[in-house]
Amino acid sequence: MDGKSSFLDITKNPEVSEFLKACNFMHEPNGNEIEKIKSQFVHVKKQEDIIYPKNIIAIASDYYEAKVRDDIPFTNVGYIKVVNFLLKKNSFVSLTNKKFLDPFEVAKIQKDKEAYTFVLPSSNMLYKGEKSVKDSFRLKLYETFKEYKSDKSNTSSLLETLFYLNSFRKGESKDEIKLKKCPSCGCENLLIIKTEAEQFCPNCHAPIYPTDVLRVWEEVKEDSASNISPLTRLDNAIKHILLAHTLRMIKEVNPENYRSLLSDIVFVINGPLAVFGTPAWIHGSLQKIIHDFNKDLSDNHFSKLMIVGMIENSSVLSYANFLNRHIENSSILCVSDEFRNSYIDYNKTESSTTFGNETFYGQDFIYKNDKGKVKVFQIPYNFRDKSNLQVFKAEKSNLESYTNLNKYIKFLDDFDSDMFTNSIIPSVLSKKYSMISMQPGAGMINLISKTLINNKQ
């Protein structure tokens, strides 16, 4: 008997049938429920004269755990590849307006990209004489953050950006990092200063690194056949660290005109505007960074940052596709906690805080365009933090709070993907490049500075 027929026999079991009868689970909404759901969607008034930034930077990452040799069991190396991809709107529009696509022209608009690969010891591997997989992972991660630089200066490193992100945490400064505990002995409240010198735990004298603040090392297992878990955590976090890095470097490299540069870029993150697991604190820092940039831009009469997270796999997207035939074209919903609890997560008890309180810095939207395609996307919250929880919870799902929403809608429409219904072209391309051959390219920060300043279109 094959597995499939065996499974069918199980479903016919009376005990299974009785169990299913005793359970409540999601059902297709009835007439009244459909009308209630439809009433929460707002018709989008299209404005063809809306102008959004001409330059798109898409950020994506991917991870993979590979065997060192097929004949050696459980000895793996981990790869994380992160990609910055620059796409110019005018080049894309001129290309799509042609009857036939020239492959050489397509290649030209895809050339401005930077790919960087993190190579990390995974299971059953020791690095540079370290005595454990965990310590090997920690050392290599620190070296990678230190070596990743946008130019030759130390201030352009990803490690510097980690200190920058950490400085937005309560009670922290830009020149030091407080570790909750030593990875080796558990000694609490250690201080790491910004220096090239090695630093050690005062209790056990083992090395400590600034990157320990990400706490990804906590998920490294010594005797495991795989260490995919810390790779997954780092893969999720690195896209958002790179977003902070790009924002920081554009400002530092172009102190005189960074505002005009930033107001002419759309940042596309492949995935939600959220950081999960042990590095989740990054989301709070990014929320503050984005808010502060937006205030600076607005105060100086520039357009706010455009940052969009494209969701290609989530419960919200699954439910939106489930409802698709009931939703009217050209309509949008700002997903509230109430809607999520009532329909998407099916009768979930209301949280004492709010959905994504410790992980998200962006708000979910369900949008059905005039072609009938459903997309779920996120844009940053309009709050610096979530300290006033009552106000934040009410206003985060208020459409009127997002004054530049019409720009996002126009952008999504213009870069709609025919091949991938729930995605857009920049997201598809960045995802493609994060999965191809691993090779570093030209520095994205220099590319932005030179291209956007000298080649205004």
Side-chain angles (χ1 to χ4, degrees):
M1 182 181 292
D2 63 28
K4 186 175 180 180
S5 58
S6 176
F7 175 76
L8 290 173
D9 285 344
I10 291 173
T11 61
K12 293 176 182 177
N13 188 310
E15 291 182 13
V16 175
S17 179
E18 288 302 313
F19 164 76
L20 292 174
K21 288 178 184 178
C23 292
N24 291 321
F25 46 86
M26 185 182 293
H27 59 274
E28 189 160 0
N30 59 32
N32 291 334
E33 286 177 315
I34 290 171
E35 291 306 312
K36 186 176 180 180
I37 289 170
K38 286 172 65 177
S39 70
Q40 297 183 59
F41 280 79
V42 175
H43 178 70
V44 175
K45 296 179 180 179
K46 296 295 178 71
Q47 296 175 264
E48 291 302 321
D49 59 343
I50 289 294
I51 298 174
Y52 59 82
K54 297 190 293 290
N55 306 283
I56 298 98
I57 293 178
I59 302 174
S61 64
D62 197 16
Y63 65 93
Y64 182 70
E65 189 180 45
K67 293 180 180 179
V68 173
R69 272 175 44 184
D70 288 338
D71 58 338
I72 303 178
F74 315 135
T75 304
N76 303 331
V77 59
Y79 297 94
I80 294 176
K81 185 181 180 185
V82 60
V83 169
N84 257 3
F85 174 71
L86 176 64
L87 178 64
K88 298 183 77 64
K89 181 178 75 172
N90 291 357
S91 299
F92 176 79
V93 171
S94 65
L95 187 67
T96 54
N97 284 339
K98 296 178 181 178
K99 188 174 182 180
F100 299 104
L101 291 182
D102 182 342
F104 293 101
E105 291 299 318
V106 173
K108 282 181 184 178
I109 71 165
Q110 299 181 39
K111 68 182 178 64
D112 292 333
K113 60 183 180 293
E114 176 189 33
Y116 193 88
T117 304
F118 287 50
V119 185
L120 297 154
S122 195
S123 58
N124 207 25
M125 289 190 72
L126 301 181
Y127 175 65
K128 287 188 175 180
E130 293 293 331
K131 297 179 180 179
S132 68
V133 177
K134 179 184 73 176
D135 289 343
S136 298
F137 189 98
R138 291 173 53 231
L139 173 58
K140 189 64 173 77
L141 183 60
Y142 166 64
E143 288 180 350
T144 304
F145 268 65
K146 191 177 177 181
E147 292 163 3
Y148 184 114
K149 295 177 181 178
S150 299
D151 56 42
K152 294 181 179 180
S153 67
N154 287 332
T155 58
S156 72
S157 71
L158 209 59
L159 189 63
E160 185 79 15
T161 295
L162 189 63
F163 275 92
Y164 170 67
L165 279 162
N166 189 73
S167 70
F168 285 85
R169 302 176 79 181
K170 188 176 180 179
E172 298 282 1
S173 78
K174 63 179 182 178
D175 296 318
E176 60 185 34
I177 286 176
K178 295 173 185 174
L179 284 188
K180 208 168 186 179
K181 62 179 181 180
C182 170
S184 300
C185 70
C187 179
E188 297 182 347
N189 301 320
L190 305 182
L191 192 65
I192 295 180
I193 60 174
K194 192 187 294 184
T195 177
E196 289 290 308
E198 289 185 288
Q199 299 180 69
F200 302 91
C201 170
N203 182 57
C204 69
H205 308 294
I208 51 176
Y209 313 110
T211 44
D212 288 336
V213 75
L214 296 173
R215 295 173 52 204
V216 180
W217 56 267
E218 293 181 18
E219 304 204 31
V220 176
K221 307 300 180 187
E222 294 297 330
D223 302 315
S224 176
S226 169
N227 262 313
I228 204 74
S229 181
L231 293 176
T232 304
R233 291 299 184 209
L234 188 58
D235 171 62
N236 166 244
I238 197 62
K239 291 176 287 193
H240 308 281
I241 297 173
L242 190 58
L243 172 62
H245 181 73
T246 306
L247 292 172
R248 179 179 76 86
M249 289 307 300
I250 288 175
K251 182 176 181 179
E252 291 187 10
V253 172
N254 308 281
E256 299 300 322
N257 59 352
Y258 71 90
R259 295 186 184 95
S260 63
L261 292 175
L262 288 174
S263 63
D264 203 21
I265 300 173
V266 182
F267 294 92
V268 179
I269 303 295
N270 201 304
L273 302 184
V275 185
F276 304 104
T278 48
W281 61 266
I282 291 170
H283 94 278
S285 295
L286 258 173
Q287 186 173 333
K288 292 173 183 174
I289 289 168
I290 292 167
H291 183 276
D292 290 354
F293 267 107
N294 281 336
K295 186 176 186 310
D296 177 35
L297 290 167
S298 295
D299 289 349
N300 289 277
H301 311 291
F302 286 91
S303 299
K304 291 182 178 180
L305 292 171
M306 280 188 69
I307 301 172
V308 57
M310 288 307 303
I311 313 301
E312 297 179 7
N313 183 23
S314 74
S315 57
V316 178
L317 179 57
S318 296
Y319 193 74
N321 287 327
F322 177 59
L323 286 180
N324 190 357
R325 65 191 181 93
H326 302 300
I327 305 171
E328 294 182 4
N329 287 1
S330 298
S331 61
I332 193 166
L333 170 71
C334 190
V335 181
S336 65
D337 283 6
E338 181 184 6
F339 186 92
R340 190 186 302 272
N341 294 336
S342 299
Y343 302 109
I344 298 170
D345 292 337
Y346 187 66
N347 289 338
K348 183 179 178 181
T349 303
E350 185 176 358
S351 169
S352 59
T353 55
T354 185
F355 173 81
N357 186 50
E358 297 181 352
T359 50
F360 281 77
Y361 63 95
Q363 170 64 30
D364 274 311
F365 292 84
I366 300 173
Y367 170 55
K368 185 173 181 180
N369 65 21
D370 53 10
K371 297 178 183 177
K373 297 180 183 178
V374 168
K375 300 188 190 300
V376 173
F377 67 98
Q378 293 179 355
I379 63 177
Y381 295 131
N382 280 342
F383 294 82
R384 192 174 191 272
D385 55 44
K386 304 169 186 174
S387 54
N388 191 334
L389 196 59
Q390 188 174 0
V391 172
F392 172 76
K393 191 173 182 179
E395 287 300 313
K396 73 170 185 175
S397 55
N398 180 3
L399 271 176
E400 295 180 0
S401 296
Y402 301 92
T403 54
N404 59 347
L405 191 58
N406 51 3
K407 289 186 179 182
Y408 284 98
I409 292 171
K410 183 73 165 64
F411 172 71
L412 294 177
D413 285 346
D414 286 353
F415 285 89
D416 184 29
S417 169
D418 289 328
M419 187 176 295
F420 299 91
T421 304
N422 302 125
S423 193
I424 57 174
I425 298 297
S427 186
V428 171
L429 288 175
S430 65
K431 189 174 181 180
K432 167 192 170 185
Y433 290 126
S434 69
M435 297 167 65
I436 61 174
S437 61
M438 303 172 187
Q439 56 180 11
M444 177 56 70
I445 304 304
N446 290 336
L447 179 64
I448 294 167
S449 301
K450 292 176 182 177
T451 304
L452 303 194
I453 293 171
N454 298 328
N455 298 313
K456 289 282 186 179
Q457 295 185 6

